[in-house]
Amino acid sequence: MPPRRKRDQSAPEPASPTGATSTEDQRAQTGDYLTTAQGVRLPDTDHSLKAGTRGPTLMEDFHLREKITHFDHERIPERVVHARGAAAHGVFTANGNAASVTKAAFLAEKGRETPVFTRFSTVLGSRGSADTVRDVRGFAVKFYTAEGNFDLVGNNMPVFFIQDGIKFPDIIHAGKPHPDREIPQAQTAHDTFWDFVSLHTEATHHVMWAMSDRGIPRSYRTMEGFGVHTFRLVNADGATALVKFHWKPVAGIHSLTWEEAQLAAGMDPDFHRRDLADSIEAGAPFEYDLGIQVMSDTEDHTFEGIDLLDPTKIVPEELVPVRVIGRLTLNRNPTNFFAETEQVAFHTGNLVPGIEVTDDPLMQARLFSYLDTQLTRLGGPNFTQIPINCPHAAVNDNLRDGMHQMAVHQGLAPYLPNSVDGGSPQVATEGEGAYVHLPRRVEGRKQRANPVSFSDHFSQAAMFYRSLSPVERMHIIQAFTFELAKCYEQAIRERMLANLANIDAELCERVAAGLGLPAPSGNAPQDTVVSPALSQIPPGPGPITGRVIGVVAADGADLSGVGKLRRAVEAKGAILRVVAPTGGVLKKGRSQQTVERALLATRSIEYDAIVIADGTAGLTDMKLSVLLEEMFRHCKAIAAWGDGEQVLRDAGIDVTAPGVVLGESVARPFTAALFDAVGLHRAWDRAEQVMASH
Ligand code: HDE
């Protein structure tokens, strides 16, 4: 009987472009017999073919050579930027609100569902670097639309370091590890980065975002995404509008503290990746609303004085509100990291009718780069045939041959016009769905120069800073102080302080004080209009989906209360973890609870809130004190019911501080107050008390 053919060993099927599914009988490890790549069954894969048991290995051992050769070539070059990433499959559902501005059906048609693959990433670190480093996050979405693939390759910050793509190698060379020793990994806290950005003031606005809490998101679930550039949308009547794309996380925007981010980089370098995969597996999808800011398509591409072609500028949401046009739900983990997450190839030039690019010089350079980079990374021009990159729309191109060609093309005439193959395939008209570039007059004198409007580098940086709450501003001051303190060159610090003085005098003074340097005076903008939408602090408690609540218990604790808490937490889509002095199972009467985290194997970064169960009074453990002290210092929710309060007092926690919830039992008022505290993300009112005591 011929061996059963396994799907993962066959050529990709065009009908299943997103690749493998995870049903049992398709697993690679379920075939009948181990074979070579040629299908020859093998009797032994542990011993190479040798002359005797101690003799040299024989050249004729085709299995050894094939196994080792393949292994030697398992790696492909990592992405030159955004090498570290994690991804998920999902669906985008349009709500019909975009119909007036675009003819792209996947955005315009109410209720239309489009499969997507989304990859999140950090920018500077290598593939194996930590998730929680201070960095920009990539937010790249591939929409497998019926009209072809559309890729929205965005970031979690709405502006960029450079205005012209020709400088991209400069900013990246400056941010990457130093070329002599290849350190530091995945960070901007070093001389070359600050050397470049202090000399290159157009980076100032983006640097402010990178030094803010946005640079250290709590989860991919709780960060915004932005298309950054201005796009041009075209509706069914041919009318155009300029738009900016926004992803708004349904779970709210929330970040780590810098200390947590640093701890997580050591305790769990896979912090974000694990959170994405675990949540999806637990049935708690990641959700984001897609929104657009719509501006008129004017000749000068400006809106209220803001140059829409300048990627260092935003349009404040108070000026142009974000119109929600659909929802993204990420609900399926990849089956194979390499096949999907590593091989997915995003390209800003993957556009569908109804969506056009603009003349933003940063975007224009990207249109070249994303196709080009795959030739090295994926080894040739046929990477669109890799299952994760295959469109769902029918593909009928005349592209032929090349490295790793998977298709067995039939016919004789891969050229047009032809008569040999009946003149097929034919080009389409606009009415038949062709991507027809909107006719637009383009003229200008050939020159290497920016428009004058690009030279304002400070006013929006000041607007960003002054729009934030005091605690968010304090975090920015601390971030600048940390990063500049890591530089060796005094001249770089001084130059950067001079730039900060041109943003905000108080910002400059406080960073200078932290560095022990005099604060230079500058020319900071006056009377800045603020944009409250830029602050991450929620106006009230939001959802707690996917958040992690730890409950500390020990032998003799109120385990039925723990059970009640678990049910209440899970009903909110959050996760409960039982924490105890040792692993194993806790028992009391007929109740029992499996310990999910022994104190020795956990740290505060794993929890959004910690609760102490009744019946634990007297529990003293150094690790527990550290856990509670960190939770308190990071302004996270802390709660206790019954005599659990005593454990808090014994650990020196001020039980009257904001964000500390006490109760007699696990009753509704207790859980409601706890969930509200988690839904507020942090008890920032505690921050001053924390600062004062340190
Ligand atoms: Fe990228 N960028 N980029 N970039 N970028 C890449 O493409 C590039 C820029 C972004 O998860 C590369 O396939 C240039 C802005 C994301 O696979 C490369 C310029 C924004 C990802 C590349 C920019 C981004 C990339 C590396 C200046 C936010 C990860 C591997 C002109 C709007 C996509 C690859 C993924 C990846 C070039 C600027 C976002 C080399 C030349 C601005 C999210 O092609």
Side-chain angles (χ1 to χ4, degrees):
M1 198 175 78
R4 196 149 46 92
R5 211 171 154 72
K6 286 176 293 171
R7 185 192 149 106
D8 62 303
Q9 293 174 348
S10 336
E13 295 157 29
S16 60
T18 52
T21 60
S22 57
T23 53
E24 237 5 67
D25 63 349
Q26 287 169 350
R27 290 172 65 106
Q29 278 66 245
T30 55
D32 297 329
Y33 296 106
L34 181 72
T35 73
T36 66
Q38 304 298 326
V40 176
R41 292 182 189 175
L42 288 161
D44 179 342
T45 189
D46 297 332
H47 301 93
S48 46
L49 194 65
K50 298 187 288 285
T53 57
R54 303 165 70 82
T57 302
L58 301 180
M59 184 77 144
E60 82 176 70
D61 188 350
F62 56 80
H63 177 44
L64 169 75
R65 278 188 288 120
E66 180 189 75
K67 190 172 173 182
I68 298 292
T69 304
H70 195 278
F71 170 77
D72 291 345
H73 299 273
E74 277 178 9
R75 292 288 171 274
I76 59 172
E78 65 174 33
R79 288 166 174 83
V80 56
V81 283
H82 297 266
R84 170 84 183 167
H89 294 274
V91 64
F92 174 77
T93 311
N95 66 12
N97 286 346
S100 59
V101 280
T102 182
K103 63 182 174 184
F106 82 100
L107 291 179
E109 241 180 69
K110 185 172 180 173
R112 180 181 284 237
E113 295 190 345
T114 303
V116 299
F117 188 69
T118 298
R119 183 174 180 274
F120 302 106
S121 48
T122 51
V123 179
L124 289 177
S126 297
R127 258 190 74 180
S129 56
D131 281 345
T132 57
V133 296
R134 180 178 293 284
D135 198 354
V136 181
R137 299 297 182 289
F139 191 137
V141 184
K142 188 178 281 295
F143 297 82
Y144 301 94
T145 91
E147 291 131 313
N149 285 354
F150 169 65
D151 294 352
L152 186 55
V153 198
N155 278 346
N156 75 328
M157 298 177 193
V159 287
F160 207 64
F161 294 106
I162 52 174
Q163 292 167 319
D164 187 320
I166 198 167
K167 294 183 190 165
F168 194 61
D170 300 298
I171 174 74
I172 298 302
H173 289 171
K176 283 274 186 183
H178 292 197
D180 50 356
R181 305 179 187 183
E182 218 198 16
I183 50 177
Q185 177 58 237
Q187 15 202 317
T188 49
H190 57 104
D191 285 87
T192 54
F193 177 77
W194 290 102
D195 181 33
F196 179 77
V197 299
S198 60
L199 288 167
H200 172 83
T201 50
E202 76 193 43
T204 309
H205 190 190
H206 196 181
V207 167
M208 292 298 288
W209 282 78
M211 293 303 115
S212 78
D213 293 343
R214 308 277 179 152
I216 39 174
R218 155 69 179 88
S219 160
Y220 295 135
R221 181 200 286 285
T222 57
M223 65 181 202
E224 283 186 289
F226 302 89
V228 175
H229 315 282
T230 302
F231 288 75
R232 176 173 281 107
L233 295 189
V234 189
N235 73 9
D237 302 325
T240 61
L242 298 178
V243 306
K244 291 210 174 258
F245 285 107
H246 294 246
W247 291 109
K248 297 275 183 196
V250 173
I253 316 165
H254 181 40
S255 294
L256 298 169
T257 64
W258 180 224
E259 191 187 23
E260 280 180 290
Q262 291 175 295
L263 288 173
M267 274 296 288
D268 185 6
D270 308 307
F271 193 75
H272 288 147
R273 179 181 286 199
R274 189 188 308 284
D275 167 55
L276 174 67
D278 283 359
S279 295
I280 290 179
E281 200 171 283
F286 279 30
E287 294 175 302
Y288 310 82
D289 283 329
L290 178 62
I292 47 175
Q293 286 179 296
V294 182
M295 281 79 58
S296 318
D297 190 358
T298 54
E299 193 67 25
D300 63 0
H301 298 93
T302 59
F303 178 82
E304 307 244 340
I306 301 165
D307 192 332
L308 299 176
L309 299 188
D310 177 354
T312 67
K313 302 290 185 324
I314 62 162
V315 177
E317 292 182 28
E318 290 76 11
L319 281 185
V320 183
V322 174
R323 183 198 302 184
V324 173
I325 62 171
R327 178 163 289 192
L328 170 69
T329 306
L330 300 178
N331 53 12
R332 183 160 67 84
N333 282 318
T335 303
N336 183 282
F337 186 91
F338 180 83
E340 301 174 89
T341 311
E342 196 57 14
Q343 293 200 108
V344 66
F346 291 95
H347 177 25
T348 46
N350 286 350
L351 299 163
V352 294
I355 308 176
E356 294 212 351
V357 297
T358 57
D359 298 335
D360 167 349
L362 182 66
M363 183 182 229
Q364 292 286 319
R366 295 180 76 196
L367 293 169
F368 166 72
S369 179
Y370 288 73
L371 198 52
D372 176 59
T373 199
Q374 314 306 344
L375 301 179
T376 303
R377 205 170 70 76
L378 299 172
N382 289 313
F383 59 87
T384 53
Q385 297 179 5
I386 296 172
I388 195 67
N389 296 322
C390 284
H392 283 208
V395 173
N396 204 6
D397 61 39
N398 276 342
L399 310 171
R400 288 296 178 270
D401 308 343
M403 293 277 197
H404 319 304
Q405 177 58 255
M406 295 293 154
V408 183
H409 291 111
Q410 299 182 25
L412 294 177
Y415 55 82
L416 280 177
N418 75 60
S419 66
V420 177
D421 279 337
S424 288
Q426 294 168 7
V427 295
T429 62
E430 194 172 351
E432 289 162 337
Y435 188 103
V436 178
H437 292 265
L438 206 71
R440 271 196 331 120
R441 208 159 58 94
V442 179
E443 62 175 11
R445 284 164 59 87
K446 189 160 61 176
Q447 57 187 317
R448 294 187 187 275
N450 276 342
V452 180
S453 62
F454 277 36
S455 55
D456 170 13
H457 299 163
F458 294 103
S459 57
Q460 286 212 344
M463 175 181 75
F464 177 69
Y465 183 69
R466 293 169 184 173
S467 301
L468 301 183
S469 63
V471 74
E472 291 171 299
R473 273 185 261 161
M474 179 181 77
H475 290 163
I476 292 186
I477 291 162
Q478 290 170 339
F480 272 112
T481 312
F482 175 93
E483 300 253 327
L484 294 172
K486 293 273 180 178
C487 293
Y488 292 98
E489 298 285 340
Q490 183 79 342
I492 293 175
R493 287 193 204 127
E494 286 169 0
R495 200 162 53 222
M496 199 57 217
L497 284 175
N499 286 348
L500 296 186
N502 287 332
I503 302 171
D504 187 273
E506 179 235 1
L507 164 70
C508 175
E509 280 156 21
R510 293 181 63 186
V511 175
L515 294 171
L517 290 173
S521 55
N523 206 5
Q526 305 293 317
D527 308 324
T528 317
V529 178
V530 294
S531 166
L534 294 172
S535 168
Q536 300 193 178
I537 311 272
I544 63 164
T545 327
R547 309 300 285 277
V548 182
I549 296 175
V551 56
V552 177
D555 281 330
D558 170 15
L559 297 186
S560 78
V562 173
K564 256 196 219 162
L565 183 63
R566 185 183 297 279
R567 285 190 293 281
V569 166
E570 288 176 356
K572 292 278 177 194
I575 299 153
L576 189 85
R577 289 207 180 117
V578 175
V579 185
T582 63
V585 178
L586 299 175
K587 293 194 179 114
K588 187 181 184 195
R590 297 228 303 272
S591 305
Q592 64 175 50
Q593 288 287 340
T594 303
V595 177
E596 282 137 324
R597 291 287 187 281
L599 276 172
L600 200 64
T602 195
R603 193 87 193 227
S604 64
I605 50 141
E606 290 198 88
Y607 311 103
D608 295 288
I610 204 92
V611 187
I612 314 288
D614 179 39
T616 45
L619 178 65
T620 48
D621 185 309
M622 191 56 195
K623 290 286 286 180
L624 179 58
S625 306
V626 171
L627 177 74
L628 291 172
E629 187 269 336
E630 283 175 2
M631 294 294 296
F632 190 82
R633 198 147 42 78
H634 298 148
C635 300
K636 290 180 181 173
I638 297 177
W641 79 92
D643 70 13
E645 181 184 336
Q646 195 52 46
V647 176
L648 297 182
R649 290 182 185 277
D650 291 347
I653 301 298
D654 172 3
V655 294
T656 63
V660 179
V661 177
L662 301 175
E664 282 306 306
S665 63
V666 185
R668 218 178 152 63
F670 176 72
T671 51
L674 170 65
F675 298 158
D676 276 358
V678 179
L680 282 170
H681 302 316
R682 305 277 165 149
W684 289 127
D685 297 349
R686 204 193 289 157
E688 259 178 45
Q689 183 182 348
V690 169
M691 288 295 286
S693 63
H694 283 82

